[in-house]
């Protein structure tokens, strides 16, 4: 039915679409192994320009961010009190907060540019972003991204309790780049995440606002969209299932850190992408954030949904 609605009529057309789908499934199955190979080469051969940015330090974080975390871990912290620290946008549960200092953003972008200009192998974030860096391949998961995610847990616990905000136990993190002669914008989509953090790292740019529509499970006949402007060093927190995109930049260049944060307690029940009970296959690292209990041990976050 879905294919018919998109113009498929003949048996030949159906078979052609099925061949394309099967080719894409096989391509995605190879991504994991290719990423492991790239990471090994990068670890062995790449010389960072700013090695200090690979390990999260309090000095990288905006003082206001640290104050927000202190509030959220204090006795009696509640949602109403937290909202006084954040910018809220309409009723879509989108929030902006300071995350990084200007000095860190500058050093981080310089490091990313240094990597881009190197001859190291590079995996791209996804099929929609052709320019950017998978941060696990740079070895940033354990020393930088896991501590950042854990710092955010008291905040997301209050903002998104029904999405597992208190138990976001894995992530996929990458940086995307927009410039005039590369990727200009990003089409409407939703993320493979319970909660997403999107931080503008710079550089100088104009236009390129984010836009947000409906939650993916609650579409309306006439979607309402709002625009949100990027601000350097500041991050947007939103539900992964919130339909969103990026409008074209008009000048300059923009780098964004995207962290898809996942709760295995939520997604083990229902895959957020296919909306079915997950059928798991093994994966390297965090996979897509699903877990499978192993006897009496704690679940290990190592799986992806086979679909």
């Amino acid at each position: 039915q879905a294919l018919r609605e998109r113009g498929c009529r003949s048996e030949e057309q159906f078979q052609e679409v099925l061949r394309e789908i099967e080719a894409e499934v096989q391509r995605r199955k190879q991504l994991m192994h290719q990423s492991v190979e790239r990471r090994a080469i990068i670890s062995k051969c790449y010389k960072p320009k700013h090695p200090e940015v690979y390990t999260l330090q309090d000095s990288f974080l905006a003082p206001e961010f640290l104050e927000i975390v202190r509030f959220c871990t204090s006795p009696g912290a509640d949602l109403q009190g937290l909202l006084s620290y954040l910018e809220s946008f309409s009723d879509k549960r989108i929030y902006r907060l300071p995350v990084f200092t200007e000095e860190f953003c500058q050093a981080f972008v310089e490091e990313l540019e240094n990597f881009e200009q190197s001859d190291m192998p590079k995996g791209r974030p996804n099929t929609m972003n052709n320019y950017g860096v998978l941060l696990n391949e740079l070895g940033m998961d354990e020393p930088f991204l896991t501590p950042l995610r854990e710092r955010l847990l008291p905040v997301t616990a209050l903002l998104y309790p029904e999405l597992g905000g208190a138990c976001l136990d894995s992530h996929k993190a990458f940086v995307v780049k927009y410039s005039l002669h590369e990727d200009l914008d990003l089409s409407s989509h939703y993320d493979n995440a319970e909660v997403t953090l999107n931080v503008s790292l710079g550089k100088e740019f104009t236009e390129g606002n984010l836009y947000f529509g409906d939650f993916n499970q609650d579409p309306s006949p006439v979607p309402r969209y709002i625009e949100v402007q990027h601000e350097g060093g500041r991050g947007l927190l939103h539900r992964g299932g919130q339909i969103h995109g990026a409008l074209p930049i008009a000048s300059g260049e923009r780098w964004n850190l995207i962290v898809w944060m996942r709760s295995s307690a939520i997604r083990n029940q229902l895959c957020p992408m296919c909306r079915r009970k997950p059928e798991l296959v093994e994966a390297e690292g965090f996979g897509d954030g699903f877990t499978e209990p192993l006897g009496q041990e704690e679940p290990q976050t190592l799986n992806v949904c086979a679909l």
Side-chain angles (χ1 to χ4, degrees):
Q1 179 62 30
L3 293 178
R4 288 193 182 93
E5 290 173 357
R6 287 160 175 78
C8 278
R9 294 293 181 268
S10 69
E11 181 64 23
E12 185 176 305
Q13 288 174 322
F14 281 111
Q15 291 303 318
E16 177 59 28
V17 171
L18 290 175
R19 282 192 292 271
E20 291 180 17
I21 291 171
E22 180 58 30
E24 177 63 13
V25 169
Q26 295 305 317
R27 185 192 72 83
R28 293 191 180 205
K29 285 182 177 179
Q30 294 303 313
L31 291 179
M32 185 192 326
H33 309 296
Q34 294 165 358
S35 182
V36 170
E37 291 172 359
R38 285 193 299 267
R39 179 172 178 176
I41 295 170
I42 292 166
S43 175
K44 182 178 179 181
C45 303
Y46 176 61
K47 184 177 180 180
K49 180 176 182 177
H50 293 294
E52 70 279 3
V53 304
Y54 286 72
T55 301
L56 185 66
Q57 302 174 35
D58 277 3
S59 60
F60 299 166
L61 299 169
E64 300 93 332
F65 177 87
L66 296 172
E67 178 59 30
I68 290 168
V69 172
R70 274 194 293 271
F71 168 77
C72 291
T73 55
S74 65
D78 60 8
L79 176 60
Q80 208 55 43
L82 171 57
L83 293 179
S84 68
Y85 289 90
L86 309 176
E87 292 180 75
S88 302
F89 297 93
S90 79
D91 58 350
K92 297 182 183 294
R93 300 174 70 190
I94 303 161
Y95 307 100
R96 179 157 57 202
L97 72 165
V99 179
F100 297 123
T101 65
E102 183 179 345
E103 293 76 17
F104 168 76
C105 290
Q106 181 177 341
F108 191 24
V109 170
E110 287 178 0
E111 176 59 36
L112 295 165
E113 290 177 324
N114 185 67
F115 177 72
E116 277 294 320
Q117 292 159 11
S118 75
D119 60 359
M120 293 294 103
K122 301 170 181 73
R124 299 309 182 185
N126 50 61
T127 55
M128 301 177 75
N129 293 110
N130 300 301
Y131 300 90
V133 180
L134 290 164
L135 296 180
N136 69 309
E137 294 185 4
L138 282 180
M140 296 189 73
D141 262 351
E142 289 309 311
F144 188 99
L145 293 158
T146 293
L148 178 62
R149 168 170 50 82
E150 290 173 347
R151 285 292 190 93
L152 281 164
L153 283 177
V155 181
T156 55
L158 290 174
L159 293 176
Y160 307 107
E162 82 289 1
L163 295 175
C167 51
L168 298 170
D169 53 356
S170 70
H171 59 263
K172 176 179 179 178
F174 50 93
V175 172
V176 294
K177 176 189 175 188
Y178 299 93
S179 67
L180 289 182
H181 301 295
E182 297 177 347
D183 286 339
L184 281 176
D185 56 12
L186 186 62
S187 300
S188 294
H189 65 285
Y190 60 89
D191 300 337
N192 186 359
E194 275 63 70
V195 180
T196 295
L197 173 68
N198 182 335
V199 185
S200 176
L201 302 171
K203 305 163 67 172
E204 294 295 325
F205 60 90
T206 57
E207 303 296 336
N209 290 351
L210 284 182
Y211 61 89
F212 292 88
D214 295 326
F215 194 65
N216 64 346
Q217 296 305 309
D218 306 306
S220 60
V222 182
R224 294 182 300 116
Y225 287 93
I226 63 165
E227 287 188 32
V228 180
Q229 188 173 4
H230 274 300
E231 296 182 7
R234 292 177 175 263
L236 293 170
L237 281 170
H238 63 85
R239 296 172 293 175
Q242 194 84 45
I243 295 172
H244 61 285
L247 296 170
I249 64 169
S251 66
E253 183 177 297
R254 186 176 81 232
W255 294 77
N256 283 68
L257 168 66
I258 314 294
V259 186
W260 290 352
M261 296 182 285
R262 294 151 168 176
S263 169
S264 61
I266 298 295
R267 60 182 43 222
N268 284 352
Q269 302 172 46
L270 196 69
C271 173
M273 305 307 285
C274 67
R275 306 301 299 171
R276 300 181 188 177
K277 177 72 177 175
E279 299 174 23
L280 303 180
V281 295
E282 272 196 39
E284 298 280 346
F286 285 135
D288 277 346
F290 302 92
T291 60
E292 189 168 49
L294 302 173
Q296 298 303 309
E297 299 177 14
E298 287 294 311
Q300 300 299 305
T301 310
L302 291 171
N303 300 295
V304 298
C305 177
L307 296 174

